[in-house]
Amino acid sequence: MENKTIQTQFTLYPSIAELSTEDLHLMKAAQKAILNAYAPYSNFQVGAALLLENGTIVTGNNQENAAYPSGMCAERVAIWNASSQFPGMVIKKIAITVKSKLKEVNKPVSPCGACRQTLLEYEVNQKAPIEVFFTGEVGVVIKANSLQDLLPFAFDQSFL
Ligand code: THU
């Protein structure tokens, strides 16, 4: 028997103002995407923006449903939007942010497990890491270097 440890590296920025010009631009696109979120049940509006290798930014936002499980997270709306418009195009980064009508979200909104799994599929296919930036309405920004870092022991096509 052997105990092992997995470590994850990430970068912490004190606020979005500390991001590079390119990353701030992407985060602002995610903030803008929040405006079209449809979140009447949770009042938790999420925006996501992807930067593709051709420089295009593709966005998404959460879309809820009266039958709650039929709703969808912003990250999956965004990546499926990207893949449906630009199939096979390498995705460099994704920025994720939030605005709640109930409270000021002051910690980074990390992508849920299902979104991590979905994003990982594209990272595996493109054989290049996707950087993930996430923040709250205010406060710090976290940058993970890849989906692999956010989803250790991921299930992927290599098992099939
Ligand atoms: N949500 C996202 O869009 N992305 C996340 O990473 C976490 C949760 C949405 C789903 C639902 O519409 C609302 O936030 C509350 O869970």
Side-chain angles (χ1 to χ4, degrees):
M1 197 268 272
E2 199 181 346
N3 290 314
K4 297 197 169 214
T5 305
I6 294 177
Q7 286 187 318
T8 297
Q9 284 196 331
F10 63 94
T11 309
L12 196 62
Y13 301 83
S15 75
I16 63 166
E18 309 297 321
L19 294 173
S20 70
T21 308
E22 181 179 89
D23 299 341
L24 181 61
H25 185 61
L26 192 65
M27 189 57 82
K28 288 196 167 171
Q31 286 176 334
K32 195 170 168 203
I34 284 174
L35 300 174
N36 291 340
Y38 175 64
Y41 304 107
S42 71
N43 286 306
F44 190 83
Q45 300 169 300
V46 185
L50 294 140
L51 177 64
L52 308 185
E53 78 173 343
N54 70 353
T56 304
I57 290 179
V58 178
T59 62
N61 39 52
N62 53 331
Q63 298 292 321
E64 296 186 350
N65 194 282
Y68 289 4
S70 299
M72 187 47 63
C73 293
E75 297 90 327
R76 275 175 283 170
V77 171
I79 197 149
W80 289 333
N81 185 12
S83 184
S84 59
Q85 291 190 74
F86 302 96
M89 177 84 67
V90 169
I91 299 156
K92 291 172 72 178
K93 326 174 168 183
I94 179 170
I96 306 156
T97 188
V98 63
K99 184 168 175 50
S100 171
K101 291 187 177 165
L102 306 179
K103 64 173 190 179
E104 189 177 66
V105 181
N106 60 7
K107 60 179 182 178
V109 59
S110 55
C112 77
C115 285
R116 293 177 197 203
Q117 179 69 37
T118 302
L119 293 164
L120 180 99
E121 177 81 14
Y122 296 87
E123 181 174 283
V124 168
N125 281 343
Q126 71 182 28
K127 297 183 182 67
I130 302 173
E131 293 180 344
V132 186
F133 293 79
F134 49 104
T135 189
E137 198 177 341
V138 293
V140 303
V141 183
I142 291 176
K143 178 181 96 171
N145 297 318
S146 75
L147 266 306
Q148 296 279 1
D149 283 347
L150 288 178
L151 194 61
F153 295 111
F155 181 84
D156 64 27
Q157 52 205 241
S158 67
F159 291 98
L160 301 175

